[in-house]
Amino acid sequence: MAYHSFLLEPISCHAWNKDRTQIALCPNNHEVHIYRKDGAKWSKVHELKEHNGQVTGIDWAPESNRLVTCGTDRNAYVWTLKGNVWKPTLVILRINRAARCVKWSPKENKFAVGSGSRLISICYFEQENDWWVCKHIKKPIRSTVLSLDWHPNNVLLAAGSCDFKCRIFSAYIKEVEERPSPTPWGSKMPFGELMFESSSSCGWVHSICFSASGSRVAWVSHDSTLCLADAGKKMAVASLCTETLPLLAVTFITENSLVAAGHDCCPMLFTYEESQGALTFGGKLDVPKQSSQRGLTARERFQNLDKKASSDTANATLDTLHKNSISQISVLTGGKDKCSQFCTTGMDGGMSIWDVKVRNPRGPLRLG
Amino acid sequence: DRRRTGEALRAFHTAIRSSPGSSRSQAMKEQAQGTMLKVLTSFKSSEIEQAVNSLDRNGVDLLMKYIYKGFEKPTENSSAILLQWHEKALAVGGLGSIIRVLTARKTV
């Protein structure tokens, strides 16, 4: 694994270009900075300044090489590279609260924005008028949409919200695509159709992710749970109450394994056992190096007992790579079905790249 | 003495099992809280760990809710024994079980 400290402040969000040589990130302000890998170093090559509020979401379309950003200024911009300059195009989202997350669709002809206006804006390009328009998905969302993920069929969209629910909607736009064929989530997919809604967990849904095939969707909530809905089992939901602090980001790395991370500052592995319909914790992927423990004097022991009611010699510094909560995970290589590398960014301003090694195809996953 | 331990354990499981899940009645909830507190305080320190280990994940979460409820309304000496229960429940349920006490929509 490799760790790079970009900032002393949180990285609000990040996105990688197609060949993973450049990373676009928001350094906790109104801008987007793009860094390019130069051997072992990272050099800042672009600064994108257009938003009037913090940039809350960035997504980089791999094929068309366009960026889309959204922010608390209630706007989204699509950025195109002209020569060596990124040129923004404003997209009117018609929302009256902050935008919180944005994702390009797999075919890159649409993108979805989740916001505090309790709706999702599905944006597509209208050729005749030469600009981006959007349609809203509102019902039955009751609170801020925190996270979005597209199904590989370019139509279905999963949304995690502060009303404690995970939902799958149809974001079918007849102007830009053909009618979709039936999926395990349903066959009729008019725009805005609710295909799946989870029963309430007790926490805001921070992150949501479709598996590579699209037949499974997983989400993490603020009540320290991880849930997975399996369309192949009539949308049965498996959930796991974890022993950790709430997780903030989750992704599939194979059809049956997930990596999630959050306020415990380290990525963790989870496995879905299809036959039993159960999720299990597979261990933390960040093995802290054993710091040498010097003995405590009697006076220090007494002070510990007095102050902390414990004579535990564990020190107060974090042994994990990230020194603060991890807020985002992205798959770097291998896709969501055979991920061999993923990236985490967090509130410590750092970015870490993790290798996933598969010892044998049916054996447990290990971290390199 | 082993019989007394066995009875305490049985009373414990009964209290856990008969917790009024979605009851709206405040009176029922308070009665359950009172019963649970009595059971928890009747345990000897050395018996707590075994009792906690006999619970499943949902049971540990439920126990943690009752422990915090007990903290809310302390009686003479109740906090001391509750802190011991807390230590053992935390070892099994982790911080996640405490998070779920804070985020629960249905309180005990």
Side-chain angles (χ1 to χ4, degrees), chain A residues 164 201-203 222-225 240-246 264, chain B residues 57-58 61 91-97 99-100 103-106:
Chain A
F164 312 149
S201 62
C202 294
H222 202 72
D223 60 348
S224 292
T225 56
L240 177 66
C241 293
T242 71
E243 290 169 29
T244 62
L245 290 175
D264 272 316
Chain B
R57 160 92 326 121
N58 289 335
D61 277 1
V92 174
L95 291 170
S97 61
I99 294 284
R100 282 184 289 279
T103 57
R105 306 285 282 168
K106 296 191 192 122

Side-chain angles (χ1 to χ4, degrees), chain B residues 45-97:
Chain B
S45 306
S46 51
E47 299 163 342
I48 294 178
E49 190 167 342
Q50 178 198 23
V52 174
N53 288 336
S54 70
L55 292 176
D56 64 2
R57 160 92 326 121
N58 289 335
V60 174
D61 277 1
L62 191 58
L63 171 64
M64 199 52 104
K65 291 195 172 88
Y66 276 112
I67 290 172
Y68 276 93
K69 206 65 190 182
F71 284 147
E72 276 178 47
K73 307 171 188 177
T75 65
E76 186 96 27
N77 294 326
S78 70
S79 294
I81 190 83
L82 282 177
L83 277 172
Q84 293 179 59
W85 276 99
H86 186 276
E87 186 190 354
K88 300 299 180 206
L90 179 61
V92 174
L95 291 170
S97 61

Side-chain angles (χ1 to χ4, degrees), chain A residues 220 224-226 239-245 247 256-262 264 266-273 276 278-287 364-366, chain B residues 57 92-94 100:
Chain A
V220 285
S224 292
T225 56
L226 164 71
S239 60
L240 177 66
C241 293
T242 71
E243 290 169 29
T244 62
L245 290 175
L247 298 160
N256 292 319
S257 331
L258 302 122
V259 164
D264 272 316
C266 72
M268 302 177 202
L269 180 66
F270 295 89
T271 326
Y272 175 60
E273 181 57 51
Q276 289 165 1
L279 283 163
T280 48
F281 175 56
K284 294 190 176 183
L285 296 177
D286 188 344
V287 180
L365 289 179
R366 289 249 169 275
Chain B
R57 160 92 326 121
V92 174
R100 282 184 289 279

Side-chain angles (χ1 to χ4, degrees), chain A residues 28-78:
Chain A
N28 197 37
N29 60 16
H30 306 326
E31 302 170 5
V32 173
H33 294 177
I34 300 183
Y35 288 79
R36 186 177 52 217
K37 197 151 206 311
D38 264 321
K41 289 194 297 89
W42 289 91
S43 343
K44 193 193 304 188
V45 289
H46 291 112
E47 285 188 1
L48 276 46
K49 301 180 211 232
E50 199 73 22
H51 279 283
N52 288 322
Q54 182 168 54
V55 179
T56 50
I58 307 177
D59 201 15
W60 201 323
E63 304 306 324
S64 55
N65 201 39
R66 288 172 300 178
L67 278 163
V68 64
T69 58
C70 71
T72 57
D73 59 355
R74 314 191 294 277
N75 287 333
Y77 291 92
V78 172

Side-chain angles (χ1 to χ4, degrees), chain A residues 292-298 300-301 313:
Chain A
S292 60
Q293 303 218 1
R294 59 174 191 84
L296 286 186
T297 64
E300 283 164 334
R301 269 192 200 281
T313 54

